[in-house]
Each structure stands twice: as structure tokens, then as C-alpha cells.
Amino acid sequence: MAEGEISQQATADLELPEVPPEVTPEVTPEVTPFSKLGTPVERWPWWAPAGWLLVAVTSLVFYAILLVLSPLLLAAIIGRRLWRRTLRYRRSPADLRIAVIGAGWTGLQCMQRFREIGVEQVDVFERYEDIGGTWSPHLRYHGLQIHGSMTVTSFDGFPYSEDRDVQGGKVMGAEVERYIHRFAEARDLSSRCQFNSTVESLSYTSEGRTATLSVADTRTGETRTAGPYDLVIWASMAAFGPIPHLAGAEEFRGKQLHTVSYSDAEFDDIVRQEKRVVLIGGGKAACDVALGLRRAGYDNFTWVMRKPYLFYKFEVLLHDASPMNKVRGLTYLSTVLFTGVSRRVGAILHWSSGHLHTYGRRHTDFTHFHGGVLCATQRRELRDVPYTIGNPVRFEEHAVVLEDGAELAADVVIWATGNNSGIDTLRLTKDGEPFTLDPKAKLYNHFIVPDLPALASSTALWTTFGPMRATNAADLAVYHLAVRAERSQRQMQRAAKRQISKNSIQRSFIWAQNACWLQLWVHFHIDLVLQGITPVEAFFKHALEVFVLGKETPLRFNLLPSTPARAPAPGAET
């Protein structure tokens, strides 16, 4: 197939049976229970039995290795538990001052966890007038639907639904926002947030190891100083959408949008004005946009990508915990860890176990796998959406030009090419001198900036799915500030350099370019285990819950002393 040519073989290799055409509803339900996510229509390929055998053999090898290593693992587990008994607070959590930037689900879960472990002085800054983050109307693109089930995207101790079928299903972005509001109301969190507050700069002082913030009121433009803080946690993961700069962009007469700006109003304007749309990107966001346009009966768009992406099958990864699916989940744990060794081997095992889907020719390029999840209904509808293979290189007055010279007429270009955390928008100073974050520098424990140790990123600490991972950020913050011995910048730099995973402070590894997110995630957890942050038994327990049992509770770091912090005696030095 030539570059830039509409793919006529997009589904040829999937060997799908003929199915009668179905009437697709124009409006996707706000809540879709697991039982209503559709029936898979894909047939197993001819080589499926060989794939099952391969998965069985590698799983047996994996669990045999675990059995051989079990004495060492048991010793490590016992040793760590004995070590935890020695932990004592060197500083009371109540004395800590912490700032959280962002009032999305990460910031709110952080705040709640801090409250549970005794940190009372927490300021949360939100640039908009309400909570919600990615799921708020300001950042929620048209057609946004949550990737996975609500089982793995619920708050700690506050499930979305008590109905297992509903909890195991998917919801639209607006419904996620309503759920976030219910959690905040139940825990009385919104009253502690400072809204319409954009944190513009951070000033760090090495002597006191604290940071002060310059905060602008988005309504009046007035600025104020907040702090000093022992730690400032950046809790934004996807709020910023960079638009690549192409030659000729200044001459382009149309509009460029990133998905973070593709609002319901923009969608309505496109449909009403019958604008020609070029959608660029092949991941989950691009699928949402393409399906939203198609479900509205709007076909005046061209979908462009360099290569079809790989996706999880929803019902295979986030299954119903039936006996057969539990067995498959046990094999998947070995598949994940083998991916840490080789992404090509990992891709082959993923295909063999039936976890993967693509709307084009099957491939094993895991750099085009970013953890997106598609249910059976989405996969069925995407079969009929044509796409173009190509790489946009420049603009003409009314068109996007691909590398092969093909011109795609466009009034609107929608970029669905990944998001940034936005932490690089902060102006930073260190001891009065300007400081610039190195986007390639590793974070200490994948959390703290070693050269600016009063700044941390909870979104870089991507331990697991959904908001529950923010409990780990809160625990690690308190452990770092109030339990373990104070670390010098040099010590933190050395420890960070030894880490295997190349986790970026600016862009989550689920959007890493020319890398396999799952391999980075496995290496990330190996780093945390070797550094004594994640107990090895806690990692396996959490993995078994998610992949085998179809449920999720927080991954427990168990870093904090079991005995509460004591207030200093009267007259004692603090």
C-alpha cells in the first residue's frame, strides 16, 4: 500500500466473519455496564493453538523461576517487614507543609490520603473554577470515554458503583466528572482547594530545602505568594496538549486543535459548518474522535497515522473474573514481565494470549502500543472507518501535506498525538538563579526532582491505574520528608541515575515516543522494588488483583511507621 493511500486492506488480516450491519446510536450512553459492551466478533487466527501453547510454556517457565527464587523472595519479604518495624517518624506529619498543583482526580486522592496519614497543612491550587482536571469541561474533548473499567479507575474506598456489572463497565467523560464531584463532596475536599489559581513560578532555597510559589488569580491577574512548602507536588498528567510545528503553519487558513481543545462547541461547529477535518494520530484519543464523528453521521474527515496502533481488548484485560479468565490472567502476569525483558517477545505473547487488537495489519511494533483499551463495540465500529498511512510534514493554504506529497484538504486539523504534564510551564529559580528542568533527567524514586528536591511529580509515579496511584505519591512524600534520613542532592542524583526506567517528568511513559510504555512500566517497578519503595509481595498482590481477580485496591508501599508520630515534649528542640 502506498504512503498516503486510503487503506483498503485495513481489516483483511483480522479474518472477521460477515456480520449484518447494525444501527449505531448517535449518542453513546453515559454509563455502559460490562454486559453491554458488545460481543467480540473477531475469530481466532489459524495459528491460535500454537500461540496458546507458547503462552502456556512461557507461563510455566515464569512460575518455575518464581518457585526457584521463592526462598530469596521470602527472605526479602521477611527482611523488609522487620525493617519496617524499625521505622520511626523523625518529624511529625502534622508539621509538614505541602502544595498540590491540580485538582483533578490525582490531586483530590492525594489530598484525601494526606488527611488520613496526618498531614494537615495541604494547599491545592487549581487554575480553573472547579475540580475535575482532564474530565472537566475545560479539558474534556468531545466523545471522551474512559479507557478501562470503573473497577480500576475508582477512588480508594469509594467505588463508582456497588453493582459489579456497572463497576466493571465504562463511562463517558462527563460521568467521570460527576463521580469526581461525588467523591469530593463525600470527603469535603473542594472547600480546601484554591480555584482560579495558576501557579506561575517556584522559588527553591537550598538552605531551608523549601519552595515558595507565585500564584496568579486567573480572574483579576493579581499575584500572591504562597509557602514556604516542604514539597510541591505537580498533579497534572494530561492537561497540556502540544501541537507539533510544521512548515507552512502560518499560511494555513484553517484551525489547528489538540484534543484538549476539541470541545463539544468545536464539534458542533464542525458539523454545522460541514468543515473538512484531518484527524492526526492513531491512539485511544484519535479513536474517540473518529467514533464521535462517525456516530454523528459525519464522514467529512480523513484519519491519518504513521502506523495502526495496538490496543488491549477490554473483555480480555479487564475481564469478568470467570474461572477461565482467571487462568488467562495468571498467564498475563508472566507476559507482562517477559515484556520487560524484550518488547518483541512481549508483543508476540500478547498476540498469542488474545489480548491485542489493531484495526490494520497485525504487527509487533510495541512503540505503537500505548496501553489503549477498546471494547468490542468500539472495535466493531472502527472496522468501517477508513484511514490514511502517512506522516504530515507541512501545511499548504488549505491542506495538510504528507511526506509522500499527498495533499489532504482541511479546514480543521485535530492533533491526537499525546499530552504533556505541563510541569515545564513553571518558571523555576534555585537560590535566586534561574533553573531549567532537564526533560531527560531521571527523578529520584521516579517522584522527586533531585536538583530541586522540593518539587515532585505524582503523575510520573505511575504505579497503577486510575486515581488510586495518588495514594502512593502521598505516602512516598511523607516517608521522604518525615521518616527516612535526609538525602543530599548528590545522593538523590546518584540513586536516580542507577534507575533502569527512562521515565520523563514532562510526558508520562504511556505517551513515550519510540519506546514501549509497558516495558518502561515494568522497569519502573523493578526500580521501586530495588530501592525498597515497593514491597515485592505488594506488587504481586496488586497484579493478581487487577489481572486475575478483576478488582483493585491501592498498591501498598508500607513505608510509614505503624506507630503514630509523637508530638515533641514541651521545651524540647524541634
Side-chain angles (χ1 to χ4, degrees):
M1 180 174 60
E3 292 288 316
E5 178 182 338
I6 298 293
S7 172
Q8 300 298 321
Q9 302 294 328
T11 60
D13 285 349
L14 293 181
E15 303 181 53
L16 300 172
E18 293 294 329
V19 293
E22 295 185 22
V23 178
T24 304
E26 293 187 359
V27 179
T28 305
E30 287 289 312
V31 180
T32 307
F34 181 88
S35 60
K36 302 296 183 182
L37 290 173
T39 303
V41 295
E42 299 94 347
R43 288 195 311 221
W44 285 101
W46 63 266
W47 45 261
W52 301 335
L53 179 61
L54 176 63
V55 170
V57 169
T58 54
S59 297
L60 289 174
V61 170
F62 168 73
Y63 286 107
I65 293 172
L66 275 187
L67 185 61
V68 171
L69 294 178
S70 58
L72 291 177
L73 295 176
L74 183 60
I77 291 169
I78 294 173
R80 193 183 190 281
R81 291 187 176 184
L82 292 174
W83 166 79
R84 191 191 176 200
R85 291 184 179 183
T86 68
L87 295 178
R88 297 292 184 271
Y89 285 103
R90 60 179 176 83
R91 185 178 179 186
S92 171
D95 295 335
L96 301 177
R97 289 202 63 187
I98 294 176
V100 177
I101 302 176
W105 68 12
T106 297
L108 296 174
Q109 182 74 86
C110 250
M111 193 192 327
Q112 174 61 21
R113 180 58 180 163
F114 277 131
R115 178 188 290 175
E116 293 169 356
I117 56 182
V119 182
E120 301 168 358
Q121 302 179 78
V122 180
D123 294 332
V124 178
F125 300 95
E126 170 55 51
R127 59 174 166 157
Y128 296 115
E129 74 280 358
D130 207 347
I131 61 174
T134 299
W135 310 99
S136 73
H138 298 285
L139 299 172
R140 184 176 71 231
Y141 60 79
H142 176 81
L144 173 60
Q145 188 179 43
I146 201 158
H147 276 244
S149 67
M150 292 308 295
T151 299
V152 296
T153 42
S154 285
F155 289 100
D156 179 24
F158 195 84
Y160 173 74
S161 174
E162 297 298 335
D163 185 323
R164 183 176 176 86
D165 191 31
V166 174
Q167 181 74 354
K170 301 176 73 171
V171 305
M172 298 298 289
E175 179 61 18
V176 177
E177 184 196 13
R178 288 189 283 270
Y179 168 57
I180 291 172
H181 276 267
R182 292 198 299 273
F183 173 73
E185 182 178 354
R187 300 294 189 263
D188 188 27
L189 300 175
S190 295
S191 61
R192 302 183 62 179
C193 298
Q194 300 182 34
F195 296 110
N196 300 297
S197 299
T198 297
V199 178
E200 295 185 328
S201 64
L202 178 152
S203 178
Y204 174 72
T205 304
S206 297
E207 183 178 358
R209 296 174 70 97
T210 58
T212 56
L213 303 177
S214 176
V215 185
D217 189 308
T218 58
R219 297 161 300 182
T220 66
E222 296 179 353
T223 60
R224 64 186 186 275
T225 299
Y229 296 104
D230 298 294
L231 193 66
V232 177
I233 299 176
W234 187 266
S236 170
M237 176 175 169
F240 294 80
I243 293 179
H245 180 75
L246 300 186
E250 295 76 12
E251 287 73 36
F252 179 55
R253 296 294 184 88
K255 177 186 287 189
Q256 293 190 72
L257 299 171
H258 191 277
T259 48
V260 296
S261 303
Y262 177 57
S263 62
D264 291 344
E266 293 286 357
F267 168 81
D268 291 339
D269 182 64
I270 286 170
V271 175
R272 185 173 57 252
Q273 301 292 332
E274 297 184 354
K275 294 182 177 180
R276 299 165 297 180
V277 176
V278 172
L279 169 61
I280 302 174
K284 169 61 168 52
C287 291
D288 283 343
V289 174
L291 286 174
L293 292 167
R294 177 56 69 93
R295 287 168 176 172
Y298 194 79
D299 294 322
N300 193 13
F301 69 96
T302 304
W303 190 4
V304 183
M305 66 193 75
R306 292 192 300 272
K307 191 174 189 176
Y309 274 50
L310 301 171
F311 296 89
Y312 282 118
K313 293 179 181 177
F314 186 101
E315 71 282 358
V316 178
L317 179 70
L318 305 168
H319 52 74
D320 58 1
S322 66
M324 183 57 69
N325 279 326
K326 287 180 179 179
V327 172
R328 179 185 278 182
L330 284 171
T331 67
Y332 185 64
L333 181 55
S334 67
T335 294
V336 169
L337 294 178
F338 272 115
T339 303
V341 178
S342 167
R343 63 191 188 195
R344 184 57 59 88
V345 170
I348 292 171
L349 291 174
H350 274 78
W351 278 114
S352 299
S353 63
H355 277 81
L356 288 187
H357 170 81
T358 186
Y359 36 78
R361 186 181 300 274
R362 288 190 185 95
H363 63 84
T364 57
D365 182 0
F366 254 25
T367 64
H368 282 74
F369 177 46
H370 293 279
V373 185
L374 297 177
C375 68
T377 297
Q378 291 172 311
R379 302 197 304 268
R380 186 186 66 244
E381 294 179 17
L382 283 167
R383 291 189 311 163
D384 302 321
V385 181
Y387 60 87
T388 296
I389 297 296
N391 184 32
V393 292
R394 71 176 190 277
F395 283 105
E396 297 291 348
E397 206 172 348
H398 299 286
V400 179
V401 182
L402 303 184
E403 196 170 30
D404 66 350
E407 295 188 9
L408 307 176
D411 300 309
V412 178
V413 175
I414 301 175
W415 294 91
T417 48
N419 299 52
N420 285 352
S421 70
I423 197 170
D424 55 322
T425 62
L426 278 178
R427 295 195 309 272
L428 304 173
T429 59
K430 179 178 180 180
D431 298 324
E433 298 294 328
F435 181 87
T436 302
L437 286 174
D438 180 357
K440 296 183 179 180
K442 296 180 178 180
L443 303 181
Y444 178 47
N445 299 146
H446 294 289
F447 182 53
I448 297 163
V449 180
D451 298 327
L452 207 71
L455 179 61
S457 171
S458 64
T459 54
L461 194 69
W462 208 93
T463 52
T464 187
F465 304 100
M468 283 190 195
R469 61 177 172 265
T471 62
N472 298 137
D475 284 4
L476 185 52
V478 173
Y479 172 69
H480 176 70
L481 295 171
V483 179
R484 69 179 167 192
E486 191 173 278
R487 298 288 193 268
S488 69
Q489 291 184 31
R490 188 170 181 80
Q491 286 175 314
M492 289 186 282
Q493 289 166 351
R494 286 179 173 176
K497 286 180 180 179
R498 289 194 295 267
Q499 292 169 175
I500 307 170
S501 185
K502 298 177 181 178
N503 195 5
S504 169
I505 191 173
Q506 292 185 6
R507 199 172 217 198
S508 170
F509 44 53
I510 66 169
W511 291 303
Q513 296 179 340
N514 300 316
C516 170
W517 82 272
L518 188 56
Q519 187 176 59
L520 294 177
W521 184 78
V522 172
H523 294 170
F524 161 90
H525 271 294
I526 291 173
D527 288 334
L528 293 183
V529 169
L530 293 178
Q531 291 174 337
I533 302 301
T534 302
V536 65
E537 74 275 19
F539 172 80
F540 282 110
K541 175 180 179 291
H542 188 76
L544 288 170
E545 280 188 349
V546 174
F547 300 134
V548 180
L549 302 178
K551 65 178 184 178
E552 184 184 31
T553 57
L555 171 64
R556 300 297 184 187
F557 279 172
N558 295 328
L559 289 169
L560 303 181
S562 54
T563 55
R566 295 181 179 179
E573 293 184 3
T574 59

